[in-house]
Amino acid sequence: MKIAIDIDDTLTQVDRVTAVEKYLKEKGLPFQVVNPNAHTLLELCDWSRDEVTRFIKSGGDKVFLTAPIRKGARETIQKWKAAGHEIIFLTARISEWFSDPVNESRQQLDENQIPYDKVVADVWEKGAYCREHGIEVLIEDNFEICKKAQQLGVKAVMFVDKHNLAHAKEIKYAGSNWEHIASSIEFILNPPRGRA
């Protein structure tokens, strides 16, 4: 089976708030964190996209590239790879913010001993990408991406966290840790009779 996995906030746990607050203080900028549970940098503060780009270009990309791997993710993915599944990391990281999103993502995965077959960056329409490339499962934390993937017939497994908790029941498969994610994948691989 082909399994696509998102990196930021799914494989990793990104702490945007601490890094942004430090940056704003160091630069003496007048912006404030307005939504500490925001899923995007743009929604985190009362700032513009240009300000977000300045933050990323001045080292803010490290918030993503050095984010810790979630507990159990490495071991789960290693088991899937050993079982013969194809692992594709599918990220929305864009070249406007990352100097080389594919190679930087590969380096992050390699440093954390995460096995993979392929890394694809700068993809927002992940459901469409999965459908076009014969990828059966997408593990992702963005509710809208999961919803669209599910509508296209891709089995979306949503990593549930504070930013998407309200929508957890709208996605057929979901989990709030990698043990739950692994159970969802096991269910997809071996559904009870009549429930595929």
Side-chain angles (χ1 to χ4, degrees):
M1 182 169 67
K2 292 183 179 181
I3 304 172
I5 306 170
D6 171 55
I7 298 176
D8 302 317
D9 298 310
T10 300
L11 175 71
T12 64
Q13 189 163 7
V14 180
D15 180 3
R16 293 166 180 78
V17 176
T18 302
V20 168
E21 285 179 333
K22 181 180 176 194
Y23 168 80
L24 295 176
K25 186 176 179 181
E26 285 175 358
K27 299 286 184 184
L29 296 172
F31 310 110
Q32 296 195 16
V33 171
V34 293
N35 182 2
N37 294 332
H39 182 241
T40 67
L41 285 171
L42 189 57
E43 297 168 340
L44 183 69
C45 290
D46 54 349
W47 56 1
S48 68
R49 183 175 170 84
D50 288 343
E51 289 296 336
V52 172
T53 300
R54 272 192 274 283
F55 165 70
I56 292 285
K57 292 291 187 183
S58 69
D61 58 342
K62 301 295 181 270
V63 172
F64 301 95
L65 296 172
T66 62
I69 303 299
R70 289 188 184 273
K71 182 182 176 192
R74 177 185 303 107
E75 298 79 8
T76 299
I77 297 166
Q78 286 172 342
K79 284 178 188 171
W80 292 340
K81 185 76 177 110
H85 299 294
E86 187 175 338
I87 307 296
I88 300 102
F89 279 94
L90 196 53
T91 178
R93 292 174 176 179
I94 55 175
S95 51
E96 179 188 355
W97 288 354
F98 296 86
S99 58
D100 187 341
V102 169
N103 282 327
E104 287 172 309
S105 298
R106 280 188 185 134
Q107 183 178 348
Q108 181 180 17
L109 296 168
D110 292 344
E111 286 172 357
N112 287 284
Q113 301 172 333
I114 307 292
Y116 59 90
D117 293 284
K118 188 175 183 180
V119 175
V120 182
D122 206 356
V123 176
W124 184 254
E125 294 297 332
K126 294 181 183 180
Y129 182 93
C130 289
R131 188 169 176 186
E132 288 165 21
H133 293 86
I135 300 169
E136 297 96 329
V137 174
L138 171 64
I139 302 169
E140 166 71 49
D141 70 295
N142 183 294
F143 165 69
E144 290 298 331
I145 291 174
C146 286
K147 183 178 172 185
K148 287 179 185 175
Q150 198 169 255
Q151 290 167 347
L152 290 170
V154 176
K155 290 179 173 68
V157 180
M158 189 167 76
F159 193 99
V160 179
D161 209 341
K162 54 192 171 189
H163 66 276
N164 62 15
L165 185 59
H167 299 289
K169 293 192 186 307
E170 296 177 53
I171 303 301
K172 184 173 181 180
Y173 305 103
S176 59
N177 59 49
W178 271 84
E179 187 178 331
H180 295 158
I181 298 296
S183 293
S184 292
I185 298 298
E186 185 60 33
F187 186 89
I188 290 167
L189 286 169
N190 303 298
R193 290 184 178 207
R195 295 187 61 187

